[in-house]
């Protein structure tokens, strides 16, 4: 398990380096001290998952449930969250732009599979928010499909209001919590 | 004669549940709520007399009296007189009619009196409790209970239920428990249960994930809930006596909550497929029987009518979440709520006549009830804070709910007309999603 962690961490570092034009040989460097051990752990360990160290831009991330269980948030992944209005699951202009950027990343990383998490703010009823979160995740998934991403690469889950990223009771926090989050659950094709 | 009239008046006022009463202003303030028409029955609850030779090391004398006082106070129908004012020495005076002086009680203003005695033998206790009319110098009811010493509160709850029965013709609901979700100050959400007075707390789940929406089965022996313990939200059934937990919904299904029917035969559950949430009918083992709604939107939070023939649920088919009523036999539904643009978490009164739900008022959430046939909703909680997730007592005369009026979310209980709102829980965490058990044996 430790070896897997190490390799995954290296994969993550690759992205950071790739962003500043570093060569793929960076993946062979030993684990740097700056890479937090909590930075990246496969959400659902499985065959082939991040086990070889990535040579491209792909990575694996932690689901919100993993983060909750570990008590720490992971380093932001390559895909950006999209945000929603209160009690809405339709995609606004900014959300569509973000999804286009996310779709581009998915096209550049054809082996990556992602889980789309639907989240809500704390207001309202838990069960309704679970259903609303499912709608948000599905809305993001549907739009990615229209942008040409294969449906098999996209799964969804709703956490409703249960795992907020921001925990205060004000609109600034609530607006951050009404989101779809994208977790790379498989960076490489399963072998 | 005088007392007979007073009892009769109470019977008239309490028995037909007042349906025209409006909550009075800031109903959330503890201890400020006056009962219907200002009428609260003055009653004294004497510490019990130790009738045996075993020392009362567990302080049952005060403990049983305290529990009865808590229950009577919670009902909102009684003014329990302060024990410091009591004149007689409970360990010296008798507990049966003729063995104590009613004047000791009429002098301090008591119109009702609870007295009793107990005998401890090993880990067992025999308790006799009596309710007296002070003015009429009469015994209204006397009961004898045998139980384990550590369960003395249950005995007290049973007699409190009997006192309510004497006054209203329907037993009280104090021998019940509430299942709820608590963070207990941590980051996980686990299912807990406790009596109304906070006693006999028990933690049902401890899986360090998210557990939600607990509800009791009709026999009061199991709790149904939603859990992410296997990462995919599923329904689980926990049997209290055996401690056995079973996942009852299919492995790959996504279930967002469920409720067991009062007849014990079915579970109405919310299943999510492709982002759409719909209500399905399951058998009591979690097998899908058929769909009850087939909508491309959000259909969620089913709750049963007392006869198990109808459901209330939430749908956003009108563009905002509203409460609907559905006939299980033919899947036909009708819209119930029209006020406001966010009405969720409906619960059907065990009396059958009203639906309680959470409604959004401005930026706050409040508890409402509305007649089953539709009509004007009645707001029961103030919007100075949020109140959510109503659950009815088994007699339909009380509603428990979660509110953040004291900062964190805690559980509260009130009369079904919104009066006498009292806080039940006070843990360091958030307590939410209460679900009231049936009457326990």
């Amino acid at each position: 398990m430790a070896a897997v962690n190490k390799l995954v961490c290296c994969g993550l570092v690759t992205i950071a380096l790739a962003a500043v034009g570093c060569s793929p040989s960076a993946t062979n460097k030993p684990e740097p001290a700056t890479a937090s051990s909590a930075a990246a752990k496969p959400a659902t360990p499985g065959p082939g998952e991040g086990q070889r160290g990535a040579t491209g831009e792909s990575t694996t991330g932690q689901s919100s449930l993993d983060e909750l269980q570990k008590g720490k948030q992971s380093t932001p992944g390559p895909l950006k969250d999209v945000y929603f209005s209160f009690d809405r699951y339709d995609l606004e202009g900014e959300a569509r732009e973000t999804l286009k950027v996310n779709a581009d990343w998915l096209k550049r990383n054809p082996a990556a599979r992602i889980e789309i998490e639907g989240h809500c703010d704390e207001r309202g009823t838990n069960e309704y928010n679970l259903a609303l979160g499912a709608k948000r995740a599905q809305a993001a998934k549907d739009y990615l499909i229209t942008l040409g991403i294969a449906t098999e690469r996209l799964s969804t889950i709703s956490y409703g209001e249960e795992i907020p990223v921001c925990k205060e009771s004000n609109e600034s926090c609530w607006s951050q919590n009404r989101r779809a989050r994208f977790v790379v659950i498989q960076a490489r094709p399963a072998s | 004669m005088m007392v007979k009239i007073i009892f009769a008046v109470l019977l008239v006022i309490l028995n037909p549940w007042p349906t025209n009463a409006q909550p009075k202003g800031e109903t959330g303030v503890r201890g400020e709520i006056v009962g219907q028409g200002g009428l609260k029955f003055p009653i004294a609850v004497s510490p019990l007399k130790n009738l045996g030779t075993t020392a009362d090391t567990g302080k049952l004398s005060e403990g049983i009296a305290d529990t009865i006082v808590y229950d009577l106070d919670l009902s909102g129908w009684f003014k329990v007189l302060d024990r410091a004012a009591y004149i007689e020495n409970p360990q010296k005076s008798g507990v049966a009619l003729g063995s104590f002086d009613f004047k000791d009680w009429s002098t301090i203003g008591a119109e009702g009196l609870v007295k009793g005695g107990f005998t401890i033998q090993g880990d067992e206790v025999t308790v006799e409790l009596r309710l007296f009319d002070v003015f009429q110098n009469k015994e209204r009811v006397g009961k004898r209970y045998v139980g384990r010493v550590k369960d003395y509160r249950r005995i007290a709850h049973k007699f409190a239920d009997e006192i309510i029965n004497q006054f209203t013709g329907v037993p009280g609901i104090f021998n019940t428990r509430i299942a709820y979700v608590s963070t207990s100050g941590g980051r996980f959400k686990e299912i807990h249960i406790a009596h109304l007075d906070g006693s006999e707390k028990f933690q049902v789940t401890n899986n360090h994930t998210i557990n939600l929406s607990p509800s009791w089965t009709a026999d009061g022996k199991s709790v149904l809930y939603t859990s992410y313990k296997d990462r995919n939200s599923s329904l689980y059934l926990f049997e209290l006596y055996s401690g056995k937990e079973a996942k009852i919904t299919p492995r790959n299904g996504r279930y967002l909550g469920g409720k067991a029917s009062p007849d014990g035969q079915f579970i109405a559950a919310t299943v999510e497929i492709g982002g759409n949430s719909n209500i399905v009918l399951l058998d009591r083992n979690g097998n899908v029987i058929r769909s009850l709604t087939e909508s491309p939107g959000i259909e969620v939070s089913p709750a049963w009518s007392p006869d198990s023939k109808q459901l209330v649920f939430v749908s956003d088919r009108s563009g905002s979440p509203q409460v609907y009523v559905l006939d299980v036999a033919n899947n036909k539904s009708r819209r119930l709520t029209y006020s406001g643009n966010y009405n969720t978490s409906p619960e059907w009164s065990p009396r059958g006549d009203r639906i309680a739900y959470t409604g959004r008022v401005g930026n706050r959430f409040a508890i409402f009830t509305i007649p089953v046939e539709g009509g004007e909703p009645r707001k029961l909680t103030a919007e100075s804070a949020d109140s959510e997730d109503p659950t009815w007592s088994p007699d339909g005369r009380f509603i428990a709910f979660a509110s953040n009026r004291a900062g964190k979310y805690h559980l509260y209980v009130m009369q079904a007309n919104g009066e006498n709102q009292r806080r039940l829980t006070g843990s360091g965490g958030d307590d939410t999603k209460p679900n009231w058990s049936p009457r326990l044996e």
Side-chain angles (χ1 to χ4, degrees):
Chain A
M1 204 57 195
V4 172
N5 274 346
K6 191 172 176 179
L7 287 168
V8 172
C9 285
C10 291
L12 247 198
V13 170
T14 307
I15 299 171
L17 295 175
V20 292
C22 199
S23 78
S25 65
T27 49
N28 296 325
K29 285 186 179 178
E31 183 179 344
T34 49
S36 157
S37 62
K41 190 165 182 181
T44 45
E49 195 168 88
Q51 287 185 357
R52 271 166 258 174
T55 53
E57 286 179 309
S58 55
T59 182
T60 56
Q62 292 193 111
S63 74
S64 292
L65 193 60
D66 289 323
E67 293 183 352
L68 179 81
Q69 289 185 299
K70 295 192 176 77
K72 355 182 166 170
Q73 287 177 10
S74 49
T75 308
L79 300 169
K80 299 279 172 287
D81 292 357
V82 301
Y83 299 97
F84 297 84
S85 297
F86 176 74
D87 192 28
R88 299 301 295 262
Y89 48 84
D90 52 324
L91 297 166
E92 292 163 11
E94 201 179 323
R96 286 167 191 269
E97 292 310 310
T98 303
L99 283 167
K100 282 174 190 162
V101 174
N102 287 350
D104 289 342
W105 185 89
L106 286 163
K107 285 171 185 169
R108 289 199 308 276
N109 294 272
R113 294 167 61 98
I114 61 169
E115 181 167 73
I116 308 169
E117 301 177 350
H119 295 269
C120 304
D121 71 34
E122 64 182 6
R123 293 173 297 163
T125 299
N126 301 61
E127 273 182 42
Y128 180 78
N129 279 338
L130 287 180
L132 182 62
K135 277 287 190 190
R136 286 176 176 168
Q138 187 69 32
K141 178 180 173 177
D142 288 346
Y143 195 61
L144 288 175
I145 291 169
T146 66
L147 294 172
I149 308 302
T151 182
E152 303 78 44
R153 299 173 63 194
L154 311 170
S155 61
T156 59
I157 190 165
S158 174
Y159 292 116
E161 64 176 89
E162 310 305 333
I163 314 181
V165 66
C166 185
K167 293 183 177 64
E168 288 157 40
S169 291
N170 54 53
E171 177 52 32
S172 160
C173 247
W174 293 332
S175 62
Q176 294 175 57
N177 291 334
R178 295 189 299 264
R179 61 184 182 139
R181 179 176 180 247
F182 305 86
V183 181
V184 181
I185 56 171
Q186 186 173 302
R188 307 270 308 169
S191 52
Chain B
M1 203 59 202
M2 178 68 189
V3 173
K4 193 159 193 176
I5 291 165
I6 291 170
F7 271 103
V9 167
L10 264 179
L11 210 69
V12 167
I13 289 178
L14 298 180
N15 197 16
W17 184 249
T19 52
N20 56 351
Q22 293 296 325
K24 290 168 187 153
E26 284 288 320
T27 49
V29 183
R30 218 176 158 166
E32 275 196 14
I33 312 307
V34 182
Q36 182 68 15
L39 182 71
K40 286 200 179 201
F41 191 80
I43 193 167
V45 182
S46 173
L48 276 63
K49 184 175 187 175
N50 188 349
L51 302 171
T53 51
T54 307
D56 182 20
T57 50
K59 298 204 161 111
L60 267 58
S61 173
E62 285 83 14
I64 293 172
D66 288 347
T67 302
I68 295 172
V69 168
Y70 181 91
D71 290 351
L72 295 182
D73 193 45
L74 199 66
S75 79
W77 295 323
F78 297 90
K79 179 189 168 199
V80 184
L81 301 176
D82 186 355
R83 193 176 295 161
Y86 297 178
I87 295 163
E88 71 160 40
N89 180 336
Q91 300 307 330
K92 293 200 169 140
S93 67
V95 295
L97 197 65
S99 66
F100 63 94
D101 192 347
F102 276 110
K103 266 195 211 141
D104 286 345
W105 300 101
S106 59
T107 305
I108 62 168
E111 293 172 21
L113 169 65
V114 176
K115 282 177 76 73
F118 61 94
T119 309
I120 299 167
Q121 278 186 311
D123 59 359
E124 204 173 80
V125 63
T126 303
V127 181
E128 56 175 280
L129 285 156
R130 297 166 202 264
L131 171 67
F132 298 100
D133 263 1
V134 173
F135 284 167
Q136 224 179 14
N137 292 7
K138 264 191 165 177
E139 181 176 316
R140 296 272 306 183
V141 67
K143 295 265 182 185
R144 183 186 299 254
Y145 305 91
V146 181
R148 288 176 297 183
V149 171
K150 68 183 182 65
D151 292 337
Y152 73 84
R153 284 191 188 84
R154 288 194 183 195
I155 291 172
H157 290 314
K158 281 187 180 175
F159 194 67
D161 284 350
E162 179 55 38
I163 294 170
I164 301 292
N165 186 33
Q166 290 295 318
F167 278 88
T168 68
V170 177
I173 41 65
F174 301 114
N175 201 28
T176 56
R177 293 202 266 186
I178 297 222
Y180 59 102
V181 175
S182 182
T183 61
S184 306
R187 60 187 189 276
F188 307 116
K189 292 194 167 186
E190 307 283 4
I191 310 296
H192 296 245
I193 55 178
H195 280 265
L196 296 183
D197 61 357
S199 65
E200 297 189 41
K201 276 200 176 78
F202 177 73
Q203 187 169 337
V204 174
T205 63
N206 191 20
N207 54 43
H208 292 196
T209 61
I210 303 288
N211 301 277
L212 298 168
S213 305
S215 66
W216 295 84
T217 54
D219 59 9
K221 290 179 177 167
S222 300
V223 177
L224 181 71
Y225 51 92
T226 309
S227 177
Y228 280 81
K229 68 179 283 191
D230 289 342
R231 318 199 68 83
N232 206 18
S233 57
S234 305
L235 298 188
Y236 292 78
L237 200 57
F238 184 93
E239 196 179 58
L240 292 172
Y241 298 101
S242 66
K244 270 191 219 156
E245 181 192 66
K247 180 172 174 171
I248 61 164
T249 46
R251 193 164 180 272
N252 296 320
R254 293 258 179 89
Y255 286 84
L256 311 183
K259 291 253 171 66
S261 62
D263 66 9
Q265 298 302 304
F266 304 105
I267 293 169
T270 305
V271 66
E272 184 243 307
I273 298 169
N276 300 326
S277 306
N278 277 291
I279 317 290
V280 288
L281 188 67
L282 311 178
D283 68 20
R284 60 181 162 188
N285 300 316
N287 303 304
V288 177
I289 298 173
R290 62 186 168 88
S291 296
L292 295 175
T293 67
E294 286 176 4
S295 144
I298 293 175
E299 316 271 312
V300 74
S301 296
W304 293 92
S305 64
D307 64 5
S308 299
K309 289 179 176 164
Q310 292 177 290
L311 291 165
V312 274
F313 67 102
V314 172
S315 171
D316 75 342
R317 63 183 75 161
S318 72
S320 65
Q322 299 291 344
V323 177
Y324 291 74
V325 177
L326 178 140
D327 278 322
V328 175
N330 58 20
N331 288 17
K332 280 191 180 144
S333 60
R334 65 179 164 89
R335 183 171 168 179
L336 183 64
T337 56
Y338 287 90
S339 309
N341 61 4
Y342 193 105
N343 297 310
T344 56
S345 64
E347 289 285 344
W348 206 305
S349 165
R351 293 193 158 196
D353 58 341
R354 295 186 82 85
I355 308 293
Y357 62 94
T358 307
R360 189 177 184 218
V361 187
N363 267 326
R364 292 292 192 180
F365 294 88
I367 308 297
F368 291 80
T369 62
I370 188 170
V372 165
E373 62 275 14
E376 197 59 34
R378 183 192 298 162
K379 186 165 76 69
L380 304 182
T381 58
E383 58 263 39
S384 50
D386 297 305
S387 297
E388 300 175 37
D389 299 328
T391 178
W392 296 89
S393 60
D395 64 354
R397 295 191 288 192
F398 299 90
I399 294 172
F401 58 99
S403 176
N404 62 2
R405 63 188 60 172
K408 287 185 176 296
Y409 273 91
H410 297 296
L411 305 187
Y412 292 76
V413 69
M414 62 185 169
Q415 294 177 349
N417 62 2
E419 291 180 1
N420 203 49
Q421 300 191 10
R422 303 296 179 92
R423 182 165 148 184
L424 295 177
T425 61
S427 82
D430 286 307
D431 301 322
T432 53
K433 287 302 262 180
N435 185 266
W436 210 315
S437 80
R439 284 195 172 90
L440 304 173
E441 286 168 16

